[in-house]
Amino acid sequence: MPPESNDAPGGAPAAGAAPAAGPVSAADTVDTRATRAAARAASAPAGAAPLSRAGSDRRPVAPRSWTAGGSTVQDWGYDLLGWAMISFAAGILLSAGIPSVVPGATGVLIAGIALWLGMAVPVAFAFARSRPRGLLRFRPVDLLYGVVLGGVLRLAQGWFEQAAAGGPVPFPSYPTIDGQLSSSWWFADALAPVVISPVIEEFFFRGVLLVVIYTVVRRALGARVAAFVAVVVTTGVFVAAHTLNGALGWDDVVSYALVGIVCGMLVLLTRRIWGAVLVHIVFNATWVALATAGTLLS
C-alpha cells in the first residue's frame, strides 16, 4: 500500500500538522540574540555589575600619569621623603667637612662628589621601588622648553644682577694661570655644572622630592594644594642648597627661586622630568659660555 500522506487532497496541509520551517533571516538571528541578552540581564541579581562579552568584569583603566595616583606612586610616601632628606643632609655634612681634611682642589672635588651622592642615592632608591607613570617619558617639545625657558631665566638673572649692582656688570670669568684656564676646567667648570649637577639636582628636587610631596599631599588635600606645596617646598630647599657655595645676594636668591618654580611647574604641567632637566642645563650652560667668553676676552 502506498504510504499515508499528511497532506489533504489538493496538496493543502492536513489539519493539525506543524507548518514547515522557512529560512532564518539575519534580522531574526539578531532579534534572538537581543532577546537572550535581555533575558540574562533580567535574571541577573539587582546591583550586579554588567559583564563583558567574555563574561568577566573589565579591568579598571590605569591612570594616565603619576599625578593621578595609581600603583606607580603607591609606595612613594612619608618614609621615602624622610630617607631622601636624611641622605641629602648626610651629603651636605660630608661636603662641608671634607675640605678641612683634604685641602686644595682635590678636597673641593671630593666634597662635590659627596653632595652628589647624597642626592643620587635617594633617586636610585626611589626609582628602584617604582617609576612614576610617564615621568621619564621624553618628547621633542621638552627640548624647546629647555632652550626657551633656560635662556629666558638666564636673561632674567642678568637683569637682576644689574639691578643689584646699580648698573651694567662685566662678563663673569674664570681664574687663569699664566693667561690659561686650569687643566681641570673641563670637568670642574664645564662638565660638572652643565651636565652632572643639573641632572642629579633635577632628579632629586623635582624627580623625587616634588613627586613624593605632591603625592602625599594630594591624598589628603587634593591636587591644587599639593601642586602649590610641592613647588614651594622644593624651591625653598633648592635655594637653600645653593647657599652651600657661599652667601647669596638677593638677586641670586630670586634667580634660583625662579629656576625652582619654573622647573617645578614644568614637571607638574607636562608630567615629565626632562623639560626641567634641559631648562637647568641651558641655564647653567649659558653662564659657562659667558664666563668662558669673559675669560678669553679679558
Side-chain angles (χ1 to χ4, degrees), residues 209-248:
L209 289 189
L210 183 136
V211 172
V212 73
I213 292 173
Y214 176 89
T215 299
V216 297
V217 175
R218 174 186 169 275
R219 292 167 183 166
L221 301 175
R224 292 186 178 181
V225 176
F228 176 79
V229 172
V231 171
V232 170
V233 172
T234 54
T235 299
V237 178
F238 178 74
V239 174
H242 283 80
T243 61
L244 299 174
N245 297 326
L248 299 178

mmCIF file of all heavy atoms in Angstrom, residues 209-248:
data_model
loop_
_atom_site.group_PDB
_atom_site.id
_atom_site.type_symbol
_atom_site.label_atom_id
_atom_site.label_comp_id
_atom_site.label_asym_id
_atom_site.label_seq_id
_atom_site.Cartn_x
_atom_site.Cartn_y
_atom_site.Cartn_z
ATOM 1 N N LEU A 209 61.692 64.610 45.328
ATOM 2 C CA LEU A 209 61.039 65.424 46.354
ATOM 3 C C LEU A 209 59.694 65.968 45.882
ATOM 4 O O LEU A 209 58.684 65.858 46.588
ATOM 5 C CB LEU A 209 61.951 66.582 46.773
ATOM 6 C CG LEU A 209 63.203 66.238 47.586
ATOM 7 C CD1 LEU A 209 63.852 67.517 48.099
ATOM 8 C CD2 LEU A 209 62.871 65.313 48.748
ATOM 9 N N LEU A 210 59.662 66.577 44.712
ATOM 10 C CA LEU A 210 58.408 67.160 44.238
ATOM 11 C C LEU A 210 57.340 66.091 44.040
ATOM 12 O O LEU A 210 56.181 66.278 44.422
ATOM 13 C CB LEU A 210 58.642 67.931 42.944
ATOM 14 C CG LEU A 210 57.419 68.655 42.373
ATOM 15 C CD1 LEU A 210 57.783 70.063 41.913
ATOM 16 C CD2 LEU A 210 56.819 67.887 41.200
ATOM 17 N N VAL A 211 57.719 64.962 43.458
ATOM 18 C CA VAL A 211 56.737 63.903 43.197
ATOM 19 C C VAL A 211 56.194 63.322 44.495
ATOM 20 O O VAL A 211 54.983 63.126 44.644
ATOM 21 C CB VAL A 211 57.361 62.800 42.317
ATOM 22 C CG1 VAL A 211 56.412 61.610 42.201
ATOM 23 C CG2 VAL A 211 57.683 63.345 40.934
ATOM 24 N N VAL A 212 57.074 63.062 45.455
ATOM 25 C CA VAL A 212 56.602 62.438 46.688
ATOM 26 C C VAL A 212 55.791 63.422 47.529
ATOM 27 O O VAL A 212 54.774 63.050 48.140
ATOM 28 C CB VAL A 212 57.779 61.841 47.488
ATOM 29 C CG1 VAL A 212 58.624 62.911 48.135
ATOM 30 C CG2 VAL A 212 57.274 60.877 48.551
ATOM 31 N N ILE A 213 56.199 64.698 47.565
ATOM 32 C CA ILE A 213 55.416 65.691 48.309
ATOM 33 C C ILE A 213 54.050 65.877 47.658
ATOM 34 O O ILE A 213 53.014 65.918 48.337
ATOM 35 C CB ILE A 213 56.180 67.028 48.395
ATOM 36 C CG1 ILE A 213 57.422 66.878 49.281
ATOM 37 C CG2 ILE A 213 55.277 68.129 48.941
ATOM 38 C CD1 ILE A 213 58.328 68.088 49.284
ATOM 39 N N TYR A 214 54.021 65.995 46.343
ATOM 40 C CA TYR A 214 52.742 66.120 45.640
ATOM 41 C C TYR A 214 51.849 64.915 45.921
ATOM 42 O O TYR A 214 50.646 65.062 46.167
ATOM 43 C CB TYR A 214 52.986 66.249 44.139
ATOM 44 C CG TYR A 214 51.720 66.286 43.316
ATOM 45 C CD1 TYR A 214 51.082 67.489 43.037
ATOM 46 C CD2 TYR A 214 51.151 65.115 42.824
ATOM 47 C CE1 TYR A 214 49.917 67.527 42.291
ATOM 48 C CE2 TYR A 214 49.986 65.137 42.084
ATOM 49 C CZ TYR A 214 49.374 66.341 41.815
ATOM 50 O OH TYR A 214 48.211 66.366 41.085
ATOM 51 N N THR A 215 52.435 63.737 45.914
ATOM 52 C CA THR A 215 51.651 62.516 46.082
ATOM 53 C C THR A 215 51.022 62.436 47.470
ATOM 54 O O THR A 215 49.826 62.158 47.609
ATOM 55 C CB THR A 215 52.536 61.283 45.829
ATOM 56 O OG1 THR A 215 53.028 61.326 44.480
ATOM 57 C CG2 THR A 215 51.749 60.002 46.024
ATOM 58 N N VAL A 216 51.809 62.698 48.514
ATOM 59 C CA VAL A 216 51.272 62.557 49.870
ATOM 60 C C VAL A 216 50.283 63.678 50.199
ATOM 61 O O VAL A 216 49.278 63.450 50.884
ATOM 62 C CB VAL A 216 52.414 62.502 50.906
ATOM 63 C CG1 VAL A 216 53.290 61.288 50.677
ATOM 64 C CG2 VAL A 216 53.249 63.769 50.895
ATOM 65 N N VAL A 217 50.544 64.892 49.707
ATOM 66 C CA VAL A 217 49.624 65.996 49.985
ATOM 67 C C VAL A 217 48.337 65.834 49.179
ATOM 68 O O VAL A 217 47.242 66.136 49.662
ATOM 69 C CB VAL A 217 50.295 67.352 49.693
ATOM 70 C CG1 VAL A 217 49.304 68.498 49.872
ATOM 71 C CG2 VAL A 217 51.495 67.555 50.602
ATOM 72 N N ARG A 218 48.449 65.351 47.962
ATOM 73 C CA ARG A 218 47.258 65.152 47.127
ATOM 74 C C ARG A 218 46.287 64.173 47.772
ATOM 75 O O ARG A 218 45.065 64.350 47.686
ATOM 76 C CB ARG A 218 47.681 64.643 45.750
ATOM 77 C CG ARG A 218 46.525 64.257 44.838
ATOM 78 C CD ARG A 218 47.018 63.634 43.549
ATOM 79 N NE ARG A 218 45.916 63.049 42.801
ATOM 80 C CZ ARG A 218 45.437 61.833 43.007
ATOM 81 N NH1 ARG A 218 45.971 61.060 43.941
ATOM 82 N NH2 ARG A 218 44.427 61.370 42.294
ATOM 83 N N ARG A 219 46.799 63.148 48.403
ATOM 84 C CA ARG A 219 45.927 62.164 49.042
ATOM 85 C C ARG A 219 45.077 62.790 50.142
ATOM 86 O O ARG A 219 43.966 62.340 50.405
ATOM 87 C CB ARG A 219 46.768 61.030 49.625
ATOM 88 C CG ARG A 219 47.460 60.166 48.574
ATOM 89 C CD ARG A 219 48.513 59.276 49.200
ATOM 90 N NE ARG A 219 49.234 58.494 48.197
ATOM 91 C CZ ARG A 219 50.373 57.853 48.432
ATOM 92 N NH1 ARG A 219 50.926 57.907 49.654
ATOM 93 N NH2 ARG A 219 50.967 57.175 47.469
ATOM 94 N N ALA A 220 45.605 63.833 50.768
ATOM 95 C CA ALA A 220 44.893 64.442 51.893
ATOM 96 C C ALA A 220 44.137 65.707 51.514
ATOM 97 O O ALA A 220 43.030 65.943 52.004
ATOM 98 C CB ALA A 220 45.880 64.751 53.024
ATOM 99 N N LEU A 221 44.718 66.535 50.636
ATOM 100 C CA LEU A 221 44.161 67.869 50.400
ATOM 101 C C LEU A 221 43.795 68.151 48.953
ATOM 102 O O LEU A 221 43.292 69.235 48.664
ATOM 103 C CB LEU A 221 45.153 68.933 50.889
ATOM 104 C CG LEU A 221 45.536 68.857 52.370
ATOM 105 C CD1 LEU A 221 46.604 69.888 52.694
ATOM 106 C CD2 LEU A 221 44.313 69.060 53.257
ATOM 107 N N GLY A 222 44.081 67.248 48.038
ATOM 108 C CA GLY A 222 43.720 67.475 46.648
ATOM 109 C C GLY A 222 44.887 67.952 45.804
ATOM 110 O O GLY A 222 45.952 68.325 46.312
ATOM 111 N N ALA A 223 44.658 67.972 44.496
ATOM 112 C CA ALA A 223 45.740 68.217 43.546
ATOM 113 C C ALA A 223 46.248 69.655 43.579
ATOM 114 O O ALA A 223 47.452 69.897 43.481
ATOM 115 C CB ALA A 223 45.276 67.855 42.137
ATOM 116 N N ARG A 224 45.357 70.640 43.692
ATOM 117 C CA ARG A 224 45.799 72.037 43.624
ATOM 118 C C ARG A 224 46.670 72.404 44.817
ATOM 119 O O ARG A 224 47.729 73.026 44.655
ATOM 120 C CB ARG A 224 44.582 72.956 43.548
ATOM 121 C CG ARG A 224 43.809 72.840 42.239
ATOM 122 C CD ARG A 224 42.700 73.868 42.161
ATOM 123 N NE ARG A 224 41.987 73.785 40.892
ATOM 124 C CZ ARG A 224 40.982 74.572 40.539
ATOM 125 N NH1 ARG A 224 40.570 75.527 41.379
ATOM 126 N NH2 ARG A 224 40.388 74.424 39.368
ATOM 127 N N VAL A 225 46.233 72.033 45.997
ATOM 128 C CA VAL A 225 47.042 72.308 47.189
ATOM 129 C C VAL A 225 48.358 71.545 47.107
ATOM 130 O O VAL A 225 49.421 72.065 47.464
ATOM 131 C CB VAL A 225 46.266 71.934 48.464
ATOM 132 C CG1 VAL A 225 47.142 72.115 49.698
ATOM 133 C CG2 VAL A 225 45.003 72.766 48.577
ATOM 134 N N ALA A 226 48.300 70.313 46.622
ATOM 135 C CA ALA A 226 49.512 69.503 46.510
ATOM 136 C C ALA A 226 50.518 70.141 45.567
ATOM 137 O O ALA A 226 51.725 70.161 45.845
ATOM 138 C CB ALA A 226 49.152 68.099 46.031
ATOM 139 N N ALA A 227 50.048 70.666 44.443
ATOM 140 C CA ALA A 227 50.954 71.308 43.489
ATOM 141 C C ALA A 227 51.620 72.528 44.113
ATOM 142 O O ALA A 227 52.837 72.737 43.972
ATOM 143 C CB ALA A 227 50.188 71.699 42.230
ATOM 144 N N PHE A 228 50.842 73.345 44.812
ATOM 145 C CA PHE A 228 51.391 74.546 45.447
ATOM 146 C C PHE A 228 52.434 74.182 46.500
ATOM 147 O O PHE A 228 53.545 74.730 46.510
ATOM 148 C CB PHE A 228 50.257 75.354 46.082
ATOM 149 C CG PHE A 228 50.715 76.567 46.835
ATOM 150 C CD1 PHE A 228 51.056 77.729 46.169
ATOM 151 C CD2 PHE A 228 50.822 76.535 48.220
ATOM 152 C CE1 PHE A 228 51.491 78.849 46.866
ATOM 153 C CE2 PHE A 228 51.255 77.645 48.926
ATOM 154 C CZ PHE A 228 51.594 78.807 48.247
ATOM 155 N N VAL A 229 52.094 73.249 47.370
ATOM 156 C CA VAL A 229 53.008 72.862 48.444
ATOM 157 C C VAL A 229 54.281 72.245 47.869
ATOM 158 O O VAL A 229 55.398 72.555 48.314
ATOM 159 C CB VAL A 229 52.317 71.881 49.410
ATOM 160 C CG1 VAL A 229 53.309 71.326 50.425
ATOM 161 C CG2 VAL A 229 51.162 72.568 50.125
ATOM 162 N N ALA A 230 54.133 71.385 46.874
ATOM 163 C CA ALA A 230 55.299 70.707 46.304
ATOM 164 C C ALA A 230 56.259 71.698 45.665
ATOM 165 O O ALA A 230 57.482 71.607 45.845
ATOM 166 C CB ALA A 230 54.841 69.672 45.280
ATOM 167 N N VAL A 231 55.738 72.664 44.920
ATOM 168 C CA VAL A 231 56.603 73.647 44.257
ATOM 169 C C VAL A 231 57.278 74.550 45.282
ATOM 170 O O VAL A 231 58.485 74.825 45.195
ATOM 171 C CB VAL A 231 55.796 74.472 43.236
ATOM 172 C CG1 VAL A 231 56.630 75.640 42.713
ATOM 173 C CG2 VAL A 231 55.352 73.597 42.076
ATOM 174 N N VAL A 232 56.527 75.022 46.273
ATOM 175 C CA VAL A 232 57.094 75.936 47.270
ATOM 176 C C VAL A 232 58.179 75.241 48.096
ATOM 177 O O VAL A 232 59.275 75.791 48.300
ATOM 178 C CB VAL A 232 55.978 76.482 48.187
ATOM 179 C CG1 VAL A 232 56.577 77.226 49.373
ATOM 180 C CG2 VAL A 232 55.062 77.411 47.401
ATOM 181 N N VAL A 233 57.898 74.041 48.570
ATOM 182 C CA VAL A 233 58.865 73.344 49.426
ATOM 183 C C VAL A 233 60.129 72.990 48.655
ATOM 184 O O VAL A 233 61.251 73.232 49.120
ATOM 185 C CB VAL A 233 58.228 72.086 50.041
ATOM 186 C CG1 VAL A 233 59.280 71.254 50.772
ATOM 187 C CG2 VAL A 233 57.107 72.470 50.997
ATOM 188 N N THR A 234 59.974 72.415 47.474
ATOM 189 C CA THR A 234 61.165 72.016 46.715
ATOM 190 C C THR A 234 61.972 73.222 46.259
ATOM 191 O O THR A 234 63.206 73.166 46.213
ATOM 192 C CB THR A 234 60.766 71.172 45.494
ATOM 193 O OG1 THR A 234 59.789 71.870 44.707
ATOM 194 C CG2 THR A 234 60.179 69.847 45.931
ATOM 195 N N THR A 235 61.299 74.324 45.947
ATOM 196 C CA THR A 235 62.032 75.539 45.572
ATOM 197 C C THR A 235 62.816 76.078 46.762
ATOM 198 O O THR A 235 63.975 76.502 46.619
ATOM 199 C CB THR A 235 61.065 76.609 45.047
ATOM 200 O OG1 THR A 235 60.404 76.116 43.877
ATOM 201 C CG2 THR A 235 61.808 77.888 44.700
ATOM 202 N N GLY A 236 62.211 76.058 47.945
ATOM 203 C CA GLY A 236 62.918 76.522 49.134
ATOM 204 C C GLY A 236 64.148 75.692 49.437
ATOM 205 O O GLY A 236 65.226 76.234 49.743
ATOM 206 N N VAL A 237 64.019 74.378 49.335
ATOM 207 C CA VAL A 237 65.169 73.502 49.588
ATOM 208 C C VAL A 237 66.230 73.697 48.503
ATOM 209 O O VAL A 237 67.439 73.687 48.780
ATOM 210 C CB VAL A 237 64.715 72.029 49.654
ATOM 211 C CG1 VAL A 237 65.910 71.105 49.872
ATOM 212 C CG2 VAL A 237 63.699 71.831 50.771
ATOM 213 N N PHE A 238 65.787 73.899 47.270
ATOM 214 C CA PHE A 238 66.706 74.115 46.154
ATOM 215 C C PHE A 238 67.530 75.385 46.365
ATOM 216 O O PHE A 238 68.757 75.386 46.171
ATOM 217 C CB PHE A 238 65.893 74.197 44.864
ATOM 218 C CG PHE A 238 66.693 74.474 43.626
ATOM 219 C CD1 PHE A 238 67.490 73.497 43.059
ATOM 220 C CD2 PHE A 238 66.631 75.716 43.007
ATOM 221 C CE1 PHE A 238 68.223 73.745 41.904
ATOM 222 C CE2 PHE A 238 67.353 75.979 41.857
ATOM 223 C CZ PHE A 238 68.152 74.991 41.303
ATOM 224 N N VAL A 239 66.878 76.464 46.761
ATOM 225 C CA VAL A 239 67.596 77.720 47.004
ATOM 226 C C VAL A 239 68.537 77.570 48.196
ATOM 227 O O VAL A 239 69.700 78.013 48.155
ATOM 228 C CB VAL A 239 66.602 78.872 47.237
ATOM 229 C CG1 VAL A 239 67.342 80.147 47.647
ATOM 230 C CG2 VAL A 239 65.778 79.130 45.981
ATOM 231 N N ALA A 240 68.056 76.936 49.265
ATOM 232 C CA ALA A 240 68.895 76.757 50.452
ATOM 233 C C ALA A 240 70.133 75.929 50.137
ATOM 234 O O ALA A 240 71.223 76.191 50.667
ATOM 235 C CB ALA A 240 68.081 76.092 51.565
ATOM 236 N N ALA A 241 69.987 74.938 49.264
ATOM 237 C CA ALA A 241 71.132 74.097 48.916
ATOM 238 C C ALA A 241 72.226 74.900 48.226
ATOM 239 O O ALA A 241 73.417 74.597 48.376
ATOM 240 C CB ALA A 241 70.683 72.947 48.020
ATOM 241 N N HIS A 242 71.853 75.925 47.478
ATOM 242 C CA HIS A 242 72.859 76.716 46.764
ATOM 243 C C HIS A 242 73.587 77.702 47.674
ATOM 244 O O HIS A 242 74.568 78.318 47.241
ATOM 245 C CB HIS A 242 72.213 77.449 45.587
ATOM 246 C CG HIS A 242 71.940 76.554 44.416
ATOM 247 N ND1 HIS A 242 70.837 75.724 44.357
ATOM 248 C CD2 HIS A 242 72.628 76.340 43.266
ATOM 249 C CE1 HIS A 242 70.855 75.053 43.222
ATOM 250 N NE2 HIS A 242 71.928 75.397 42.541
ATOM 251 N N THR A 243 73.128 77.857 48.903
ATOM 252 C CA THR A 243 73.891 78.679 49.843
ATOM 253 C C THR A 243 75.144 77.958 50.314
ATOM 254 O O THR A 243 76.013 78.570 50.944
ATOM 255 C CB THR A 243 73.026 79.043 51.064
ATOM 256 O OG1 THR A 243 72.625 77.846 51.746
ATOM 257 C CG2 THR A 243 71.781 79.814 50.641
ATOM 258 N N LEU A 244 75.250 76.658 50.017
ATOM 259 C CA LEU A 244 76.462 75.919 50.386
ATOM 260 C C LEU A 244 77.678 76.450 49.641
ATOM 261 O O LEU A 244 78.817 76.269 50.087
ATOM 262 C CB LEU A 244 76.281 74.428 50.086
ATOM 263 C CG LEU A 244 75.144 73.722 50.837
ATOM 264 C CD1 LEU A 244 74.993 72.295 50.338
ATOM 265 C CD2 LEU A 244 75.412 73.743 52.333
ATOM 266 N N ASN A 245 77.446 77.085 48.501
ATOM 267 C CA ASN A 245 78.555 77.645 47.725
ATOM 268 C C ASN A 245 78.972 79.018 48.226
ATOM 269 O O ASN A 245 79.902 79.616 47.685
ATOM 270 C CB ASN A 245 78.156 77.744 46.249
ATOM 271 C CG ASN A 245 77.874 76.382 45.643
ATOM 272 O OD1 ASN A 245 78.501 75.389 46.009
ATOM 273 N ND2 ASN A 245 76.919 76.330 44.723
ATOM 274 N N GLY A 246 78.295 79.531 49.237
ATOM 275 C CA GLY A 246 78.609 80.854 49.768
ATOM 276 C C GLY A 246 77.344 81.675 49.927
ATOM 277 O O GLY A 246 76.252 81.267 49.509
ATOM 278 N N ALA A 247 77.501 82.829 50.547
ATOM 279 C CA ALA A 247 76.352 83.703 50.766
ATOM 280 C C ALA A 247 75.778 84.166 49.432
ATOM 281 O O ALA A 247 76.513 84.419 48.469
ATOM 282 C CB ALA A 247 76.764 84.902 51.617
ATOM 283 N N LEU A 248 74.458 84.276 49.376
ATOM 284 C CA LEU A 248 73.778 84.696 48.156
ATOM 285 C C LEU A 248 73.218 86.099 48.325
ATOM 286 O O LEU A 248 72.672 86.436 49.376
ATOM 287 C CB LEU A 248 72.631 83.733 47.825
ATOM 288 C CG LEU A 248 72.985 82.265 47.573
ATOM 289 C CD1 LEU A 248 71.714 81.467 47.302
ATOM 290 C CD2 LEU A 248 73.955 82.126 46.415
#
